[in-house]
């Protein structure tokens, strides 16, 4: 299992600004130098949103997540740890990793009810090894991070990758798992890897595009474990279940488990979102994943939208199809791209639980409004989504929205307020984008949208 490198953290041009060097001169006034950067900001107490869906839907989600791999291979038995789970950190972890990991462990203990704790000895059930991005990509070129059973060091992966011991389909009781995360990425990317990979080390091994409120979805929209994810993990470790059960045995126990853990879900009618065709998944991964040429990406995005229309979707997957096409056409045909973003927002608006998706879309629509000099329109687009980005703990998105708001404020003549908002964005940007050069690069990218400045200031 791995968190795939997809350029769909969905902000403007890319996840991490590129094509800038450390000594590139500032292209606009008020661009802070390293010595004037404010401290990195951190989120306060988590505010997960409880799942707002029927327990009948959640039963189906739980079974599809737990008894199938992303590749489509079926799992014959339910697998999990039995008893307390111990975890250790090795390698060269960045400073932010330990704080974010401690926070995550606390959430797993309190929200998911999992008996998990950190230890220092080699006999830990889970080993998190912090290594370089190059080390990870030498093993899996498309991965940002990944998790493997029955090894403890990344140097063991190549020789073990085809062994029976690392085949998830042969594992029922989990005892030893390794997670490999980057130590030279932004704090947010490292944290996101911790959340997704630790969740899959403990629980479900599958991802489902039909889930709009979960990290168990390859669209990478959600950065941290959601209320739905914690409910799934709490059910995963409920005393009614045990490692080695069949799908039928687990299915028989789930209604009572979810009625106990999520009584409100018994009072909500099911939506029964349809399954996601493999052809749509392949098209999306070609469009937004690594390796394809620009023309291939655009063609794949068109195919994804065509499939979504043919299936008759009106949910977040139809919206995401429009969004992907917009992302891949905004440089060549910005007017067409904005039509796609507007269509995406309309479908998101009709789908419950897509506030975060709409925040990403608002960033795209606001950037277009700023480029056209429509500052007031941009402010209206951005305003409702600042709180959403903070609630879902996406610092990169929050920083980008604040930078866009600063440009919009300048367009409306509110220069002092713009300066204050831009300064406030930097602390979040340092967490979301990492190195100070990357923060300054994002400021340049956003600043270049404004007709008051342009790319050369």
């Amino acid at each position: 299992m791995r968190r795939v490198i997809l350029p769909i953290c969905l902000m403007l041009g890319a996840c991490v600004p590129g094509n800038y060097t450390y000594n590139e001169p500032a292209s606009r006034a008020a661009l802070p130098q390293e010595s004037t950067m404010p401290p990195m900001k951190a989120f306060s107490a988590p505010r997960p949103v409880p799942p707002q869906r029927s327990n009948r839907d959640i039963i189906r989600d739980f079974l599809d997540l737990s008894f199938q791999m992303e590749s489509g291979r079926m799992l014959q038995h339910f697998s999990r740890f039995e008893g307390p789970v111990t975890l250790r950190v090795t390698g060269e972890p960045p400073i932010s990793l330990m704080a974010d990991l401690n926070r995550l462990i606390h959430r797993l203990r309190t929200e998911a009810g999992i008996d998990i704790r950190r230890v220092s000895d080699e006999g830990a059930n889970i080993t998190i090894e912090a290594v370089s991005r190059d080390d990870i990509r030498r093993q899996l070129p498309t991965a940002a991070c990944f998790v493997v059973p029955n090894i403890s060091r990344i140097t063991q992966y190549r020789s073990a990758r085809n062994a029976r011991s690392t085949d998830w389909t042969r594992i029922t009781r989990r005892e030893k798992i390794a997670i490999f995360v980057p130590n030279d990425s932004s704090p947010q990317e490292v944290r996101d890897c911790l959340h997704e990979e630790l969740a899959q080390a403990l629980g479900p091994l599958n991802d489902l595009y039909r889930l709009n409120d979960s990290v168990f979805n390859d669209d990478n929209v959600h950065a941290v474990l959601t209320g739905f994810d914690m409910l799934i993990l709490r059910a995963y470790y409920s005393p009614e279940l045990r490692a080695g059960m069949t799908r039928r045995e687990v299915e028989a126990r789930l209604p009572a488990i979810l009625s106990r853990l999520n009584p409100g879900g018994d009072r909500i009618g099911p939506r029964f979102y349809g399954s996601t065709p493999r052809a749509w998944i392949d098209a999306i991964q070609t469009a937004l994943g690594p390796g394809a040429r620009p023309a291939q990406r655009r063609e794949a995005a068109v195919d994804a939208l065509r499939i979504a229309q043919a299936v008759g979707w009106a949910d977040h997957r139809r919206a995401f199809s429009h969004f992907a096409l917009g992302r891949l056409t905004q440089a060549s045909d910005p007017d067409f791209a904005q039509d796609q973003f507007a269509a995406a927002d309309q479908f998101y608006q009709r789908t419950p639980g897509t506030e975060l998706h709409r925040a990403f879309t608002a960033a795209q629509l606001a950037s277009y409004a700023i480029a056209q000099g429509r500052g007031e329109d941009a402010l209206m687009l951005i305003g409702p989504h600042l709180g959403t980005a903070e609630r879902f703990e996406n610092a990169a998105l929050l920083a980008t929205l604040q930078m866009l708001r600063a440009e919009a404020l300048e367009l409306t003549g509110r220069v002092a307020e713009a300066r204050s908002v831009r300064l406030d964005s930097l602390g979040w940007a340092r967490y979301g984008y990492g190195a100070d050069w990357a923060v300054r690069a994002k400021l340049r990218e956003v600043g270049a949208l404004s007709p008051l400045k342009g790319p050369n200031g």
Side-chain angles (χ1 to χ4, degrees):
M1 308 305 297
R2 64 195 184 278
R3 184 176 180 86
V4 181
I5 303 168
L6 294 179
I8 49 177
C9 50
L10 314 174
M11 271 76 74
L12 300 178
C15 293
V16 177
N19 301 321
Y20 294 98
T21 59
Y22 285 86
N23 58 357
E24 183 176 353
S27 61
R28 54 195 299 274
L31 197 64
Q33 300 303 309
E34 286 193 27
S35 60
T36 61
M37 282 280 186
M40 183 173 69
K41 291 188 176 183
F43 293 100
S44 56
R47 294 181 288 167
V49 178
Q52 303 295 316
R53 67 170 76 183
S54 167
N55 280 343
R56 293 170 64 186
D57 283 331
I58 296 175
I59 289 171
R60 177 186 171 221
D61 296 336
F62 186 100
L63 293 170
D64 287 351
L65 285 169
S66 305
F67 287 91
Q68 188 171 341
M69 304 285 289
E70 289 183 61
S71 63
R73 296 174 69 194
M74 302 303 296
L75 298 168
Q76 299 303 312
H77 297 95
F78 179 71
S79 72
R80 73 176 191 187
F81 290 99
E82 294 292 348
V85 181
T86 55
L87 178 152
R88 67 170 182 155
V89 177
T90 63
E92 299 180 6
I95 294 174
S96 64
L97 183 149
M98 300 308 294
D100 283 330
L101 177 59
N102 289 339
R103 199 162 178 257
L104 174 56
I105 289 174
H106 178 74
R107 287 193 62 197
L108 290 169
R109 291 180 64 89
T110 57
E111 296 176 40
I114 298 175
D115 185 0
I116 181 171
R117 61 187 174 88
R118 279 181 52 204
V119 297
S120 57
D121 61 89
E122 294 184 3
N125 299 120
I126 299 174
T127 298
I128 298 175
E129 186 178 18
V131 297
S132 71
R133 284 177 291 183
D134 287 343
D135 286 338
I136 289 174
R137 292 173 192 176
R138 272 193 289 270
Q139 307 300 325
L140 287 175
T142 63
C145 43
F146 64 105
V147 55
V148 185
N150 293 320
I151 65 173
S152 57
R153 297 189 302 276
I154 198 167
T155 54
Q156 299 171 328
Y157 176 69
R158 191 171 296 278
S159 61
R161 63 188 304 174
N162 295 318
R164 293 169 62 94
S165 61
T166 58
D167 184 350
W168 286 103
T169 65
R170 299 178 182 273
I171 295 171
T172 53
R173 179 166 176 158
R174 304 182 195 181
E175 296 179 348
K176 179 181 179 181
I177 291 178
I179 296 172
F180 306 110
V181 300
N183 58 16
D184 51 0
S185 296
S186 72
Q188 178 166 314
E189 183 176 341
V190 176
R191 181 208 61 187
D192 295 357
C193 280
L194 288 174
H195 276 249
E196 180 164 342
E197 303 305 341
L198 186 51
Q200 292 195 309
L202 292 166
L205 301 172
N206 196 9
D207 282 331
L208 298 171
Y209 273 102
R210 73 169 183 260
L211 302 179
N212 62 355
D213 57 352
S214 174
V215 301
F216 297 114
N217 185 328
D218 271 336
D219 64 9
N220 288 1
V221 169
H222 284 279
V224 299
L225 290 169
T226 66
F228 170 84
D229 298 328
M230 288 297 182
L231 174 61
I232 291 292
L233 289 172
R234 196 173 192 94
Y236 221 85
Y237 283 86
S238 63
E240 296 93 329
L241 302 181
R242 66 179 184 277
M245 280 185 166
T246 65
R247 181 184 177 110
R248 182 172 295 181
E249 289 172 327
V250 172
E251 185 174 9
R253 289 162 175 77
L254 280 177
I257 292 172
L258 289 173
S259 292
R260 173 170 57 83
L261 299 179
N262 186 45
D266 287 337
R267 298 187 293 272
I268 301 174
R271 298 195 189 101
F272 293 124
Y273 284 140
S275 299
T276 306
R278 187 73 234 179
W280 184 87
I281 295 173
D282 291 343
I284 285 292
Q285 290 179 343
T286 299
L288 297 176
R293 296 188 298 273
Q296 291 175 313
R297 293 180 187 277
R298 288 192 297 271
E299 183 178 352
V302 171
D303 286 343
L305 180 55
R306 188 182 299 119
I307 293 168
Q309 292 169 329
V311 173
W313 284 337
D315 60 16
H316 57 284
R317 292 169 292 183
R318 171 68 180 273
F320 193 65
S321 303
H322 286 287
F323 190 99
L325 185 56
R327 281 283 286 108
L328 293 169
T329 56
Q330 61 188 151
S332 59
D333 192 345
D335 292 336
F336 174 80
Q338 291 311 301
D339 290 340
Q340 298 303 311
F341 292 134
D345 188 59
Q346 290 175 3
F347 283 104
Y348 282 139
Q349 192 171 10
R350 301 172 196 168
T351 307
T354 58
E355 296 87 354
L356 184 59
H357 304 68
R358 293 195 69 200
F360 281 116
T361 307
Q364 301 291 343
L365 293 170
S367 67
Y368 186 69
I370 290 169
Q372 291 189 321
R374 297 185 287 112
E376 290 291 353
D377 289 344
L379 291 173
M380 291 180 62
L381 286 163
I382 295 165
H385 302 290
L386 292 165
T388 298
E390 185 170 2
R391 185 169 72 253
F392 287 96
E393 300 188 34
N394 194 313
L397 174 60
L398 178 57
T400 299
L401 288 171
Q402 288 181 322
M403 291 177 190
L404 289 167
R405 183 165 179 258
E407 299 301 329
L409 287 167
E410 286 190 350
L411 285 173
T412 60
R414 296 149 70 180
V415 177
E417 188 177 353
R419 187 178 300 112
S420 175
V421 170
R422 185 177 292 111
L423 181 63
D424 189 53
S425 75
L426 300 180
W428 294 117
R430 296 191 74 185
Y431 184 87
Y433 289 104
D436 290 342
W437 68 267
V439 174
R440 295 197 301 273
K442 178 53 66 173
L443 281 170
R444 293 188 184 94
E445 181 185 348
V446 175
L449 294 169
S450 175
L452 295 179
K453 304 181 183 76
N456 298 314

